[in-house]
Amino acid sequence: MKSIGDEYTWAKEALQDLASDGIEAKHLTTDPDSSPYRAADDLYLENTTSTEPEHFLDTRHFSNNHRKNIKNNKELGEIMPDIPLFKGGKKFWLSNRAFLPNSFKIRKLDENLNAIRKCVLYRLSPSALKKTRLILNTQKVEGFNRSLRRSLPKNVTYTKNFEGRVHSAIHSVNLGPGESLLVICKQLGAEISPGSAAEKELKLYQKTDRMQKAYKKSMKYKKERSNTRKHLYKIYEKHQEEKCYQKNKLMRPVKRTKTQAEDHPYAKKPRVAVTKKC
């Protein structure tokens, strides 16, 4: 019995269905640890498909994996200098900062350079550049999954119209929400009257959706996101500084004398005289 996490089997069946319709995949973009490419390659070796597939790495997931590997690299933790992040203490910059300070320096040793070179080659080696040269990612699939969850929420089971709702979600993503409704109504014989209030509202909805997508691709929007990200990093660092701060942490501890260590006379318990009975 197949499990929902068996990517290899599901991908192989999907590629076979596409091949039966005369469609063969040439470029496959996946996560570094996914297995759909192996399924496509096996189908090609079995002569089920005639197009040799080429594997590309999702640039977004690849960069995230690169970042995690750097943070978990013990060699870098030893050679990267600590920087003061709060009064009276130091922390390792790699796990608390996104940007390097101006005073950042590394000792020029062979082992240090080799460790850094290894991290750089993970992302900029010839093999890595070859698999990311088209700058492809799976964000389109992730975006469709969100649209699909809107049409098929997990808390509801649609036994009769499951496939129809899936096709409707795909149609809406491909054409846009407003245009999709206009086309569907026309195909069903319930065409929306030209010039009506409903048509104007759907066209306005379509225009707004198209403008939002175009704006998110603009450099202005990307710059705003970058500035917001930097601002949030600064807020996070300030929060870490306040969380780790302790009062009088820089002051030297005062050596207490024997007299100071003793309690005040009024705090001592009175001594009670005990008499022995004869």
Side-chain angles (χ1 to χ4, degrees):
M1 184 177 179
K2 294 180 298 184
S3 65
I4 194 172
D6 189 358
E7 293 183 345
Y8 177 85
T9 304
W10 288 110
K12 196 169 186 178
E13 290 186 0
L15 292 171
Q16 286 175 339
D17 291 341
L18 291 174
S20 63
D21 294 334
I23 302 174
E24 295 186 358
K26 171 64 177 176
H27 297 158
L28 280 90
T29 305
T30 66
D31 302 345
D33 56 348
S34 296
S35 54
Y37 169 72
R38 291 193 295 106
D41 192 43
D42 289 346
L43 289 175
Y44 174 73
L45 296 176
E46 295 169 2
N47 295 325
T48 304
T49 58
S50 58
T51 303
E52 183 177 2
E54 187 174 2
H55 188 207
F56 289 91
L57 295 177
D58 177 11
T59 54
R60 190 181 185 91
H61 288 85
F62 190 44
S63 299
N64 289 338
N65 288 351
H66 188 202
R67 191 178 299 109
K68 290 178 182 178
N69 290 337
I70 291 176
K71 287 187 176 182
N72 297 330
N73 193 325
K74 295 182 179 179
E75 295 181 1
L76 288 180
E78 295 175 357
I79 66 176
M80 294 294 184
D82 293 338
I83 58 173
L85 292 181
F86 58 90
K87 295 181 179 180
K90 293 183 178 181
K91 281 191 174 182
F92 183 41
W93 70 269
L94 201 56
S95 59
N96 294 278
R97 292 182 68 95
F99 306 99
L100 299 178
N102 296 329
S103 59
F104 183 81
K105 293 182 180 180
I106 298 176
R107 297 182 62 187
K108 193 175 181 181
L109 301 176
D110 291 340
E111 53 268 23
N112 294 354
L113 296 177
N114 291 334
I116 296 175
R117 187 179 293 109
K118 188 185 300 183
C119 293
V120 172
L121 290 178
Y122 179 89
R123 183 63 183 87
L124 299 177
S125 63
S127 59
L129 292 176
K130 182 180 179 181
K131 290 192 173 185
T132 58
R133 68 181 187 275
L134 298 183
I135 316 178
L136 302 175
N137 57 55
T138 57
Q139 290 304 104
K140 185 70 174 179
V141 179
E142 300 294 342
F144 169 70
N145 287 338
R146 294 188 62 182
S147 301
L148 190 61
R149 285 197 298 269
R150 181 185 59 192
S151 299
L152 294 171
K154 295 182 179 180
N155 60 335
V156 182
T157 302
Y158 297 94
T159 56
K160 295 183 178 180
N161 58 348
F162 178 84
E163 292 186 4
R165 296 182 73 90
V166 172
H167 294 160
S168 177
I170 297 173
H171 197 260
S172 177
V173 170
N174 290 338
L175 298 183
E179 187 66 23
S180 175
L181 286 174
L182 289 172
V183 173
I184 290 175
C185 290
K186 184 177 181 179
Q187 293 296 324
L188 293 175
E191 184 178 1
I192 297 176
S193 303
S196 62
E199 186 193 40
K200 292 180 181 178
E201 192 67 26
L202 288 175
K203 287 186 176 181
L204 180 61
Y205 188 28
Q206 177 78 8
K207 181 180 178 181
T208 303
D209 181 73
R210 185 173 61 252
M211 291 177 64
Q212 287 180 348
K213 290 180 179 179
Y215 175 68
K216 290 182 178 180
K217 294 179 181 179
S218 64
M219 291 302 299
K220 179 181 178 181
Y221 177 78
K222 293 179 180 179
K223 187 176 180 180
E224 289 178 355
R225 286 192 62 185
S226 177
N227 293 336
T228 303
R229 185 163 55 248
K230 292 179 183 179
H231 178 65
L232 292 177
Y233 273 121
K234 289 183 180 179
I235 294 177
Y236 175 76
E237 290 180 5
K238 184 178 180 181
H239 171 69
Q240 295 298 316
E241 178 181 344
E242 294 175 351
K243 185 174 67 173
C244 299
Y245 177 75
Q246 295 181 11
K247 189 176 181 181
N248 298 331
K249 200 169 185 178
L250 292 177
M251 297 181 64
R252 295 181 179 179
V254 180
K255 189 175 181 180
R256 302 181 67 183
T257 62
K258 185 177 180 181
T259 306
Q260 291 175 331
E262 293 179 352
D263 292 334
H264 293 284
Y266 58 79
K268 294 182 178 179
K269 294 182 180 180
R271 299 180 65 181
V272 179
V274 179
T275 57
K276 295 182 179 180
K277 294 182 179 180
C278 298

CSV table of all heavy atoms in Angstrom, one decimal, residues 1 4 136 266:
chain,number,residue,atom,x,y,z
A,1,MET,N,0.8,-1.2,0.0
A,1,MET,CA,0.0,0.0,0.0
A,1,MET,C,0.9,1.2,0.0
A,1,MET,O,1.8,1.3,0.8
A,1,MET,CB,-0.9,0.0,1.2
A,1,MET,CG,-1.9,1.2,1.3
A,1,MET,SD,-3.0,1.1,2.7
A,1,MET,CE,-4.0,2.6,2.4
A,4,ILE,N,1.4,8.4,1.7
A,4,ILE,CA,1.3,9.7,1.2
A,4,ILE,C,2.7,10.4,1.0
A,4,ILE,O,2.9,11.3,0.2
A,4,ILE,CB,0.4,10.6,2.0
A,4,ILE,CG1,0.0,11.9,1.3
A,4,ILE,CG2,1.1,10.9,3.4
A,4,ILE,CD1,-1.0,12.7,2.0
A,136,LEU,N,15.4,28.2,-11.2
A,136,LEU,CA,14.0,27.6,-11.1
A,136,LEU,C,13.7,27.3,-9.6
A,136,LEU,O,14.6,27.1,-8.8
A,136,LEU,CB,13.9,26.4,-11.9
A,136,LEU,CG,14.2,26.5,-13.4
A,136,LEU,CD1,14.1,25.1,-14.0
A,136,LEU,CD2,13.2,27.4,-14.0
A,266,TYR,N,19.6,42.5,65.5
A,266,TYR,CA,18.2,42.3,65.8
A,266,TYR,C,17.6,41.2,65.0
A,266,TYR,O,16.4,40.8,65.3
A,266,TYR,CB,17.5,43.6,65.4
A,266,TYR,CG,17.7,44.1,64.0
A,266,TYR,CD1,16.9,43.5,63.0
A,266,TYR,CD2,18.6,45.1,63.7
A,266,TYR,CE1,17.1,43.9,61.6
A,266,TYR,CE2,18.8,45.5,62.4
A,266,TYR,CZ,18.0,44.9,61.4
A,266,TYR,OH,18.2,45.3,60.1
